[in-house]
Amino acid sequence: MNIIVLGKAGSGKGVQSEILAKKFNLEHIDMGRTLREFSQKKDAIGQEIYAIQNVKKTLVSSRILREVLHLKIGSFRSDQGIVFDGVPRTLDQEQYLEEALQEFGRRIDKVFFIDISKAESIRRISRRWNCDHCGKILIMGKDIKKETDRCPFCQGEITRRKDDTPEGIKKRLEVFQKETMPVLEYFRQQGILVELNGEKSIEKVSREILKNMPD
Ligand SMILES: [Zn+2]
């Protein structure tokens, strides 16, 4: 079973992917985390990713993304299901992903698009902070009360992603509109896209996803 979960920033795609991974015993592939994991390795591609992320501080190229997807998918047993969280974001990435899946005898079974409005995305992301230590996402006004607070779970220091500001989010939403919407359209034409209202509670969205899971 190969599932894709897509959505704008703040849609809850990470949480929903995690729920699916637990429930169906799927490998959860989040590109950011996978790249970090590869960058810790001492092999050629690991060193290359490390240099791009920590020295050049730019985004990894399509070639690297393609190679990483290929290596990652190839590392699982063929009957191991996967949930892709936030990948593919562009038509190029969609092509690499499909090629890599095909090579290992897999296909995309279902794509979930968790839709929220631009205003809701901005509202949610503006309240989002991260714990530097345990990596948990912390919500201002709920988990923390002010910028000088520490993580309530581990007392680690909290920071905010540089682009988790209203301007940063607006830019990301424009990129989503321009680059990811065509990917969704592609999946819609394939008849495998399920669109959900992501402004409902996590539990309600999760129930909708479960109802639409392939057999
Ligand atoms: Zn923490």
Side-chain angles (χ1 to χ4, degrees), residues 132-146:
D132 276 348
H133 186 65
C134 70
K136 276 208 172 70
I137 290 175
L138 307 167
I139 306 299
M140 185 61 77
K142 188 175 150 221
D143 303 310
I144 45 174
K145 300 276 172 276
K146 52 187 190 304

Side-chain angles (χ1 to χ4, degrees), residues 107-164:
R107 65 188 169 98
I108 301 164
D109 296 294
K110 210 65 137 184
V111 180
F112 294 100
F113 172 42
I114 309 177
D115 198 14
I116 56 173
S117 68
K118 282 187 184 174
E120 181 68 5
S121 173
I122 294 169
R123 195 182 68 81
R124 290 185 185 179
I125 299 298
S126 309
R127 296 166 60 204
R128 193 162 80 173
W129 288 67
N130 286 84
C131 171
D132 276 348
H133 186 65
C134 70
K136 276 208 172 70
I137 290 175
L138 307 167
I139 306 299
M140 185 61 77
K142 188 175 150 221
D143 303 310
I144 45 174
K145 300 276 172 276
K146 52 187 190 304
E147 300 185 5
T148 50
D149 279 358
R150 297 187 81 94
C151 171
F153 304 100
C154 77
Q155 298 305 311
E157 269 187 56
I158 60 167
T159 50
R160 194 174 200 182
R161 244 178 80 163
K162 276 202 197 72
D163 55 353
D164 278 354

Side-chain angles (χ1 to χ4, degrees), residues 12-169:
K13 60 182 181 299
V15 178
Q16 297 297 343
S17 299
E18 224 170 273
I19 294 173
L20 281 183
K22 277 208 190 104
K23 192 155 179 83
F24 294 92
N25 191 27
L26 307 173
E27 284 288 343
H28 177 181
I29 298 190
D30 156 336
M31 225 40 222
R33 215 165 43 189
T34 302
L35 287 171
R36 270 196 299 281
E37 181 191 304
F38 270 77
S39 75
Q40 304 301 311
K41 298 183 186 171
K42 298 281 169 262
D43 56 8
I45 185 152
Q47 287 180 339
E48 197 176 350
I49 296 169
Y50 185 89
I52 292 167
Q53 292 191 324
N54 298 282
V55 185
K56 291 193 207 158
K57 296 191 191 289
T58 55
L59 293 173
V60 300
S61 66
S62 308
R63 175 185 58 82
I64 291 183
L65 206 78
R66 183 182 210 160
E67 203 170 327
V68 165
L69 274 174
H70 196 266
L71 288 167
K72 188 76 184 169
I73 295 168
S75 72
F76 302 131
R77 274 179 28 191
S78 59
D79 59 349
Q80 171 65 56
I82 305 174
V83 54
F84 295 91
D85 170 2
V87 208
R89 279 167 206 260
T90 64
L91 283 172
D92 272 359
Q93 291 180 13
E94 195 288 323
Q95 208 186 326
Y96 305 150
L97 178 64
E98 217 167 327
E99 276 170 19
L101 288 171
Q102 265 169 20
E103 184 168 338
F104 297 105
R106 296 169 176 271
R107 65 188 169 98
I108 301 164
D109 296 294
K110 210 65 137 184
V111 180
F112 294 100
F113 172 42
I114 309 177
D115 198 14
I116 56 173
S117 68
K118 282 187 184 174
E120 181 68 5
S121 173
I122 294 169
R123 195 182 68 81
R124 290 185 185 179
I125 299 298
S126 309
R127 296 166 60 204
R128 193 162 80 173
W129 288 67
N130 286 84
C131 171
D132 276 348
H133 186 65
C134 70
K136 276 208 172 70
I137 290 175
L138 307 167
I139 306 299
M140 185 61 77
K142 188 175 150 221
D143 303 310
I144 45 174
K145 300 276 172 276
K146 52 187 190 304
E147 300 185 5
T148 50
D149 279 358
R150 297 187 81 94
C151 171
F153 304 100
C154 77
Q155 298 305 311
E157 269 187 56
I158 60 167
T159 50
R160 194 174 200 182
R161 244 178 80 163
K162 276 202 197 72
D163 55 353
D164 278 354
T165 56
E167 304 73 53
I169 302 156

